[in-house]
Structures are given as C-alpha cells and as structure tokens.
Amino acid sequence: QIFYEDDGFNPKNSVVAAHKLINQNSADLIIIFGTNQGLSVVDITERKRIPLISFNVNRKVVKDKKFAVMLY
C-alpha cells in the first residue's frame, strides 16, 4: 500500500506526517520533498531505522546518516 500525507511544504507538518506514517500506517519507507522538510524528519527516520528518500539540494540532510539518501 501507498500512504500519502500533505505537509503543505511546512517542516512542522512534515514531522507530524512522518510520525503518523510510521506509527499509524507502519511505513517501511518515507519519501519527502524539500531541504527543510528532510531536515525535520531525518532524525526520526534514523532512530526508527526507516529508509528516507529526500528530494532536495542540500547534502546536509543525509550527511552521516545510514538510512537516508538524497535525490535531486
């Protein structure tokens, strides 16, 4: 199944959406768009060991992360 949450391109909403996708929908993977959005959820996905695909232009999102990759 594919689940979708609209964060309105707001990092605070991204955190809420990530928690919902992980805790309620048992997400096996998170895909996110935007540097600030990626930065806001990468530590959550790392702690939970859930792969994160982040579409952004700043390597800071994935620096020293084991479960995150960046596409641009």
Side-chain angles (χ1 to χ4, degrees):
Q1 280 183 313
I2 296 175
F3 297 97
Y4 171 81
E5 289 292 322
D6 184 359
D7 65 5
F9 220 61
N10 180 325
K12 290 179 184 178
N13 295 343
S14 302
V15 171
V16 173
H19 281 294
K20 181 178 179 185
L21 291 167
I22 292 167
N23 298 323
Q24 291 181 16
N25 302 120
S26 301
D28 295 318
L29 168 76
I30 302 282
I31 300 172
I32 198 157
F33 296 86
T35 298
N36 291 330
Q37 292 70 20
L39 288 169
S40 70
V41 302
V42 69
D43 290 332
I44 297 166
T45 58
E46 285 288 307
R47 275 194 308 274
K48 299 280 188 172
R49 301 175 66 119
I50 295 173
L52 173 71
I53 298 174
S54 179
F55 288 86
N56 73 81
V57 294
N58 189 334
R59 292 210 175 271
K60 188 176 179 181
V61 175
V62 299
K63 185 177 181 196
D64 300 323
K65 304 299 182 195
K66 293 182 181 180
F67 296 94
V69 296
M70 182 180 100
L71 301 174
Y72 56 90

